[in-house]
Amino acid sequence: MDLDEIRQEINLVDNQMKELFLKRMELAYQVAENKKRTQKAVYVPKREEEVLAACIKGVSEEYQLECKTFFGELMEISRAYQYSKLTEESEKRNMLLDGEGRALLEFTCTQGERHFRAILLAVLSSGLTAEEVFTEKKECGYCCRLRVSGDFSSKRAKAAVLQILEETEHVLIREI
């Protein structure tokens, strides 16, 4: 195959993946609705590890890291979306910021580097701007400080802050 034919094949695969992605997001919506009713946590680290292990099972060693990364990021996107569906009903909604501004978010990620990356992805994809990102690995986990700015009243920004409140420890949020 020449380069144009390979690209056509890639486009076909991308279209199939898009349809599957949309179906997965609809299922993520249903999960959020179920968790809203049952008051269950969005983030269940053990479940995510089981899913990732199942996803790489049978994948050649050459692609295992990429496969695990792909499915890990897909779950991170789904989690951020679920939080956007739960902000109004959350018991922590009074702790969410509102309006245009700047804030300092300090917290500890005890679930490791991949989890910190998921939190950062949620913040960055919410439309907020990360002005400063600081992390320090300690015995208790990753101590993190984010200085962010933007419109905190958007549903995605509220979801990102809610995700920090729900999934991390020792959270301090200050408007600056």
Side-chain angles (χ1 to χ4, degrees), residues 15-157:
N15 282 331
Q16 291 171 337
M17 288 174 60
K18 179 175 69 174
E19 292 302 315
L20 291 171
F21 172 77
L22 293 172
K23 181 175 181 158
R24 192 181 200 291
M25 293 306 289
E26 174 56 35
L27 293 168
Y29 172 78
Q30 291 177 32
V31 167
E33 290 297 309
N34 182 281
K35 288 180 177 181
K36 190 187 312 182
R37 275 193 319 276
T38 60
Q39 302 283 308
K40 289 186 179 176
V42 170
Y43 182 50
V44 182
K46 186 175 190 264
R47 164 77 177 139
E48 288 199 9
E49 287 307 315
E50 290 169 354
V51 169
L52 290 175
C55 286
I56 64 169
K57 191 173 184 176
V59 173
S60 74
E61 192 173 324
E62 180 180 5
Y63 300 125
Q64 280 187 1
L65 178 62
E66 290 78 5
C67 186
K68 187 174 183 176
T69 301
F70 174 77
F71 282 101
E73 290 192 17
L74 187 57
M75 286 189 292
E76 292 166 10
I77 291 166
S78 294
R79 251 187 15 250
Y81 175 72
Q82 287 178 45
Y83 281 113
S84 76
K85 298 298 174 193
L86 300 173
T87 56
E88 296 303 317
E89 290 80 16
S90 172
E91 294 175 1
K92 297 180 179 177
R93 70 182 171 273
N94 61 332
M95 298 173 73
L96 302 177
L97 302 172
D98 205 16
E100 198 67 40
R102 294 174 71 211
L104 183 64
L105 311 172
E106 296 182 24
F107 53 91
T108 303
C109 278
T110 59
Q111 297 296 318
E113 187 176 337
R114 189 171 81 76
H115 184 238
F116 169 71
R117 198 178 52 141
I119 296 289
L120 189 58
L121 174 68
V123 170
L124 294 176
S125 63
S126 73
L128 296 172
T129 300
E131 297 177 352
E132 178 185 79
V133 177
F134 173 81
T135 61
E136 183 179 3
K137 182 158 176 38
K138 293 190 173 181
E139 206 171 289
C140 61
Y142 286 87
C143 295
C144 310
R145 183 176 61 239
L146 304 177
R147 190 174 65 223
V148 296
S149 62
D151 182 5
F152 289 92
S153 60
S154 77
K155 189 176 253 190
R156 292 292 182 170

